Amino acid sequence: MPKPSKGPRLASSPAHERLMLANMATSLFANGRITTTLPKAKRLRPLAERLITFAKRGDLPARRRVMRVIRDKSVVHILFTQIAEQMQQREGGYTRITKIAPRRGDNSPQAVIELVTEPLSAKKAVVKEAESAAKVAAKDDNTEVAAATDAAVAESAAKDAVDQAVEANESDQDVAQADKAAEDLEQTADKADQTEAQAEEDADVAEDAEKAAE
């Protein structure tokens, strides 16, 4: 038989131990407190608190996970509707172990394990509410900062796009002006060529007239 890694085994086999702890957890949730030996109470405590943590989630996967241990549907209903609401303000420490007198006969140490159903003190409740409000405020501030950052980035991108459009427009205007100036220069050169050709033609005519007059 394999040796247990977490202290002495409470039953004859691991399966028997799991069933025994499940039955004890069922009795604890149904009655609010049970009396057992001290080793069993210490082994039951982490299992019971884990099941309460699942019950505080309240969703279907958590309910199915709890029903793998607690087979009684009425006890599961009590756990999810009553006990989970009582433990909603607590972050842990859902159970309490109180040592009592040893058992008569074999002198085994006994203890009472019970659910901690007392409400939190007013000071702790105020601190809890203040922490929740601070978390909500911090989340809102982060949302506002993110929105402002996105707006600034969008505004900067829009400004860059406008500048690029202006530069492109100016570039197009410069190109158009250069093309127009080149066309004007070409027209001026053509006019100069025509004038020079006309002058040469007039000179030739004059020279022919002088020769004819001689």
Side-chain angles (χ1 to χ4, degrees):
M1 184 178 295
K3 183 178 179 181
S5 60
K6 296 182 179 180
R9 184 173 289 118
L10 301 178
S12 59
S13 65
H16 186 192
E17 180 178 340
R18 287 193 296 269
L19 290 175
M20 183 179 62
L21 291 176
N23 291 332
M24 293 171 62
T26 302
S27 300
L28 176 63
F29 296 144
N31 302 314
R33 57 184 295 171
I34 60 173
T35 301
T36 182
T37 60
L38 185 59
K40 290 181 181 179
K42 290 181 178 180
R43 294 291 294 273
L44 174 62
R45 184 173 190 172
L47 175 63
E49 294 194 353
R50 187 180 183 189
L51 295 177
I52 293 174
T53 302
F54 279 117
K56 288 175 65 176
R57 297 182 185 176
D59 54 0
L60 183 59
R63 185 178 291 269
R64 289 176 176 173
R65 178 64 180 81
V66 171
M67 291 189 68
R68 289 168 57 184
V69 179
I70 308 298
R71 302 291 181 171
D72 193 341
K73 293 184 179 180
S74 61
V75 176
V76 174
H77 179 73
I78 293 173
L79 177 61
F80 274 78
T81 57
Q82 299 179 12
I83 298 176
E85 292 181 0
Q86 294 174 355
M87 305 296 180
Q88 199 64 38
Q89 297 297 328
R90 293 185 179 273
E91 297 296 335
Y94 308 126
T95 58
R96 180 191 299 119
I97 296 177
T98 305
K99 293 181 181 180
I100 59 176
R103 185 168 57 191
R104 295 181 60 182
D106 58 358
N107 201 30
S108 297
Q110 285 190 301
V112 174
I113 180 170
E114 57 186 346
L115 299 176
V116 181
T117 57
E118 295 85 359
L120 291 174
S121 63
K123 183 177 179 180
K124 291 184 179 179
V126 171
V127 171
K128 184 69 175 178
E129 292 179 359
E131 291 178 353
S132 300
K135 290 181 181 179
V136 172
K139 185 176 181 180
D140 294 338
D141 292 339
N142 293 333
T143 303
E144 292 178 358
V145 170
T149 303
D150 294 339
V153 170
E155 184 178 358
S156 178
K159 185 177 180 180
D160 293 339
V162 171
D163 293 339
Q164 292 177 0
V166 171
E167 291 178 358
N169 191 14
E170 290 178 354
S171 299
D172 294 340
Q173 290 179 356
D174 294 339
V175 171
Q177 290 178 359
D179 292 339
K180 186 176 181 182
E183 291 178 359
D184 294 340
L185 290 175
E186 186 175 358
Q187 292 178 0
T188 303
D190 292 340
K191 288 181 180 180
D193 292 338
Q194 291 178 1
T195 303
E196 183 178 0
Q198 186 66 34
E200 290 179 357
E201 186 177 357
D202 293 341
D204 292 339
V205 171
E207 185 178 357
D208 293 338
E210 291 179 357
K211 288 181 179 181
E214 291 176 359

